[in-house]
Amino acid sequence: MVTTEAMRLFVKILEEEDPGWYSRASNFVSEPVIDMPVSVSTHNSKAEHAVENGNALPETKTVASENGNVMETQDKDVVSEGLGSILVYDQWIAPPINGQRPKARYEHGAAVIQDKMYIFGGNHNGRYLSDLHVLDLRSWTWSKVESKVGAEPPESASPSILAPCAGHSVIPWENKLISIAGHTKDPSETIQVKGFDLKTGTWSMLKTYGKPPVSRGGQSVTLVGTSLVIFGGEDAKRSLLNDLHILDLETMTWDEIDAAGVPPSPRSDHAAAVHAERYLLIFGGGSHATCFNDLHVLDLQSMEWTRPTQQGDIPTPRAGHASVTVGENWFIVGGGDNKSGASETVVLNMSTLVWSVVTSVQGRVPVASEGLSLVVSSCNGEDILLSFGGYNGRYNSEVNVLKPSHKSTLQSKIMETPAPDSVSAVHNATNATRDLESDFEVGQDSKIREIVVDNGDPEPLKSRANGNNENFLVTLKAEKEELESSLTKEKMQTVQIKQELSEAENRNTELYKELQSVRGQLASEQSRCFKLEVDVAELRQKLQTMEALQKELELLQRQKAASEQAMSAKQRQGSGGVWGWLAGSPGHRDEDD
């Protein structure tokens, strides 16, 4: 059906169902959108959006027709409250959004915590951003988060905590947003990890231990249990990477993994997911010359890479796509191959490795962009996928929602959420257009399933639905209480183990100090012993010298005594002859006579 005919029929339905729609819609002014003919590429220069996306588009939404042009600006009152009235599965729609939209961007980070989608950073017209916005998924209202910055460590030489960045990853962890890696104007040598506390509204640099990876952007960061698995990306020198690192979020310690097998080739802007808390899947991505559509699997227990055989409708090569998991289903949206954006939304059953196409879009629409974000949330008990931003020749700031019909085999064991009690008489523009087209082209809607409510006798259905709702809620509450109790016990055990570990570390520290003190005393005693040994050796040497001197002295004394005796004898002999001669008694002579 051509666009003008579809618009005419849609306006006719509006006038029949709600005669006052035009008076309400005329109160709002929609800004024109210029579709610039620029090829999609994450590696080429980007054309600036012709509309200032930072301005508010109050309570309006745009719906793209089959040729990609803007079809209609529709008043949000036409759509019933929230997304409960969206009865079409596997179809992207633009919900009515209130508040001031964030600036259009791509390569930003997104995460959902407690029914709120947070958007941080990104790239707009070559400029890195550092703003933080939140979309309340209950009121569908945008607001900007006025965040504070915690004090940086004095010894830190890293860039500012709120330095604008793009190509980073945002991970929800407890009551925090963790922003990891990303390109900045003044890159650091290693990956920086920042945390935003949702309670205090404060950014802080998280201290890590071990050897951190080199700084990069376009990497994949996957939460597996209490650890983040980081793969690939592009460093500040534009060198592509295929290294593997793990960050333990409890100890904040880095560990570089040297896995067996053949790893994926160096790449960036790929997608990653974890299956059964054991298998890490890597799909697609790009190098400086080409894009990939290969699938690699890492066994996180054996740390070995494999490349399994893909089945089904294997996606075309792409980079810059976004992905999210729902049960064992891995949904992949957007991306491009340097020539055009990927128009199909695909899903991989991670248990069977079979690909299938969920839906396709025509023309240059936001979900066929590169660098968009994709998160999963819930509405009325059903999963919904939310995409934001991206670049497809222009920068986008639109939110699109898809309600997938692919259910997890794990979820199918749980009681399904019943249909809504009532439906609005008029659906949104996308649903209305597809309903009109289905009258003429019934066979083309095989992938779309609608929930039909019998309005002839709504009371029995309503009572049954209420009863099922109550039973389902009771079951969920019981399971929730059981899980919360188990979680509380685990937290208490964790706290106790941490206390015991802290006490053991304190005891270890004290024992180490005592050991150092004993070692010091021992070294001092060894030094004293050495000095004493030297003194003893010197004394022994002196003693030996004294003994030799004593012997020499005794010898001299004996020689002296002998000399004195000889001298004394000679003196006695000489003195007797002289006196006798003087006395005139020459005795010998008389005898001769």
Side-chain angles (χ1 to χ4, degrees):
M1 180 179 295
V2 297
T3 304
T4 55
E5 185 178 359
M7 290 175 60
R8 193 177 297 111
L9 291 174
F10 177 66
V11 171
K12 182 178 179 181
I13 291 177
L14 286 181
E15 290 178 347
E16 291 176 354
E17 299 293 339
D18 189 4
W21 73 274
Y22 182 78
S23 61
R24 292 196 305 275
S26 61
N27 294 330
F28 304 102
V29 179
S30 176
E31 296 180 356
V33 177
I34 300 176
D35 199 4
M36 303 181 66
V38 179
S39 63
V40 178
S41 172
T42 58
H43 306 290
N44 299 331
S45 60
K46 306 297 188 286
E48 186 172 2
H49 200 311
V51 178
E52 179 58 41
N53 288 278
N55 296 334
L57 298 178
E59 301 184 352
T60 62
K61 68 167 187 159
T62 57
V63 179
S65 68
E66 292 185 353
N67 60 6
N69 297 326
V70 176
M71 184 186 77
E72 183 71 23
T73 299
Q74 179 185 348
D75 183 14
K76 79 176 186 68
D77 291 341
V78 176
V79 182
S80 298
E81 295 180 0
L83 296 177
S85 62
I86 297 178
L87 308 181
V88 178
Y89 289 89
D90 300 336
Q91 180 70 22
W92 287 105
I93 66 157
I97 303 294
N98 302 318
Q100 183 174 357
R101 293 182 184 177
K103 193 178 188 68
R105 67 194 67 201
Y106 82 121
E107 291 185 343
H108 51 278
V112 170
I113 297 181
Q114 297 178 352
D115 294 330
K116 292 182 178 180
M117 181 176 70
Y118 293 87
I119 301 295
F120 172 64
N123 187 329
H124 175 82
N125 199 26
R127 295 182 178 181
Y128 298 145
L129 306 175
S130 62
D131 51 346
L132 178 64
H133 297 262
V134 59
L135 175 64
D136 192 322
L137 300 179
R138 291 168 294 185
S139 62
W140 296 93
T141 302
W142 278 113
S143 60
K144 184 176 181 180
V145 179
E146 299 297 335
S147 56
K148 299 175 291 184
V149 178
E152 296 189 36
E155 67 277 6
S156 175
S158 59
S160 174
I161 294 177
L162 272 184
C165 60
H168 53 287
S169 302
V170 174
I171 304 296
W173 174 249
E174 295 178 344
N175 202 37
K176 289 187 178 69
L177 294 174
I178 295 180
S179 175
I180 183 169
H183 295 299
T184 57
K185 183 179 179 181
D186 299 315
S188 60
E189 294 183 358
T190 58
I191 280 183
Q192 302 295 322
V193 183
K194 297 176 286 188
F196 180 74
D197 193 317
L198 298 178
K199 292 183 179 179
T200 62
T202 303
W203 283 103
S204 60
M205 192 72 71
L206 302 182
K207 184 178 181 181
T208 60
Y209 303 90
K211 183 181 179 181
V214 66
S215 63
R216 66 192 67 195
Q219 70 292 323
S220 64
V221 179
T222 310
L223 180 63
V224 182
T226 60
S227 298
L228 296 180
V229 182
I230 294 89
F231 173 78
E234 183 182 40
D235 65 13
K237 298 178 181 179
R238 298 203 67 212
S239 297
L240 294 170
L241 307 168
N242 66 342
D243 52 346
L244 184 68
H245 300 264
I246 294 180
L247 176 63
D248 190 322
L249 293 177
E250 292 187 335
T251 62
M252 297 304 292
T253 303
W254 285 105
D255 188 13
E256 184 175 3
I257 305 300
D258 185 12
V262 180
S265 60
R267 65 190 64 198
S268 66
D269 299 325
H270 50 278
V274 64
H275 176 52
E277 294 294 310
R278 175 174 176 176
Y279 301 101
L280 179 72
L281 286 77
I282 303 291
F283 173 77
S287 64
H288 298 311
T290 186
C291 293
F292 309 109
N293 66 340
D294 50 353
L295 178 66
H296 298 262
V297 178
L298 173 67
D299 190 329
L300 294 174
Q301 291 186 4
S302 63
M303 287 299 172
E304 182 177 4
W305 286 105
T306 57
R307 186 174 177 180
T309 301
Q310 305 179 68
Q311 302 178 11
D313 299 324
I314 301 175
T316 57
R318 65 191 64 195
H321 44 288
S323 69
V324 73
T325 58
V326 179
E328 74 270 19
N329 295 311
W330 187 19
F331 292 88
I332 293 180
V333 179
D337 58 0
N338 289 332
K339 297 178 182 179
S340 61
S343 60
E344 68 273 11
T345 298
V346 296
V347 61
L348 173 69
N349 187 304
M350 294 185 288
S351 298
T352 61
L353 298 181
V354 176
W355 289 100
S356 58
V357 177
V358 178
T359 185
S360 294
V361 295
Q362 300 294 328
R364 189 170 294 164
V365 295
V367 292
S369 301
E370 296 185 23
L372 74 166
S373 62
L374 185 67
V375 295
V376 61
S377 185
S378 62
C379 181
N380 293 339
E382 292 186 289
D383 296 316
I384 57 173
L385 310 184
L386 297 99
S387 72
F388 172 79
Y391 178 83
N392 58 357
R394 63 174 185 173
Y395 296 92
N396 298 303
S397 63
E398 298 180 10
V399 176
N400 288 277
V401 179
L402 181 142
K403 185 183 293 187
S405 63
H406 293 73
K407 301 299 180 184
S408 169
T409 56
L410 300 176
Q411 293 175 335
S412 62
K413 298 178 181 179
I414 305 176
M415 184 186 302
E416 295 185 357
T417 304
D421 296 341
S422 60
V423 295
S424 174
V426 180
H427 303 316
N428 54 61
T430 303
N431 294 346
T433 303
R434 292 189 64 86
D435 290 340
L436 290 171
E437 292 176 353
S438 64
D439 294 335
F440 302 96
E441 302 171 351
V442 178
Q444 297 182 1
D445 294 335
S446 59
K447 294 182 180 179
I448 300 177
R449 301 187 299 165
E450 298 188 4
I451 302 174
V452 181
V453 179
D454 187 4
N455 293 325
D457 189 13
E459 291 300 325
L461 177 61
K462 184 174 181 180
S463 61
R464 289 196 301 270
N466 290 336
N468 291 336
N469 274 332
E470 292 178 357
N471 294 334
F472 184 64
L473 289 176
V474 169
T475 304
L476 286 181
K477 287 181 178 179
E479 293 180 355
K480 179 182 178 183
E481 291 176 356
E482 183 178 355
L483 290 174
E484 288 179 348
S485 176
S486 301
L487 181 60
T488 303
K489 293 180 180 178
E490 292 294 333
K491 286 184 177 180
M492 292 176 63
Q493 292 179 358
T494 302
V495 170
Q496 184 178 358
I497 292 174
K498 286 183 177 180
Q499 290 178 352
E500 293 176 354
L501 179 61
S502 177
E503 293 176 357
E505 289 178 350
N506 292 334
R507 289 196 300 269
N508 187 25
T509 302
E510 293 176 357
L511 291 174
Y512 181 75
K513 290 180 179 179
E514 292 180 3
L515 177 61
Q516 292 296 104
S517 177
V518 171
R519 284 178 176 175
Q521 294 176 3
L522 179 61
S524 177
E525 292 297 328
Q526 287 177 344
S527 177
R528 288 179 56 191
C529 288
F530 179 74
K531 290 181 180 180
L532 290 174
E533 288 178 356
V534 172
D535 293 341
V536 169
E538 290 179 353
L539 291 174
R540 284 178 178 174
Q541 188 175 4
K542 290 180 181 180
L543 181 59
Q544 291 175 357
T545 304
M546 289 179 66
E547 289 178 352
L549 292 175
Q550 183 69 27
K551 290 179 180 179
E552 291 180 3
L553 179 60
E554 291 177 355
L555 181 60
L556 290 174
Q557 287 177 350
R558 286 196 298 269
Q559 290 176 355
K560 180 182 177 182
S563 298
E564 288 178 350
Q565 289 177 1
M567 290 291 294
S568 177
K570 287 181 181 182
Q571 287 177 0
R572 285 195 301 270
Q573 210 172 15
S575 62
V578 174
W579 288 108
W581 180 76
L582 290 176
S585 56
H588 298 287
R589 194 176 303 171
D590 291 340
E591 293 176 359
D592 292 340
D593 290 340

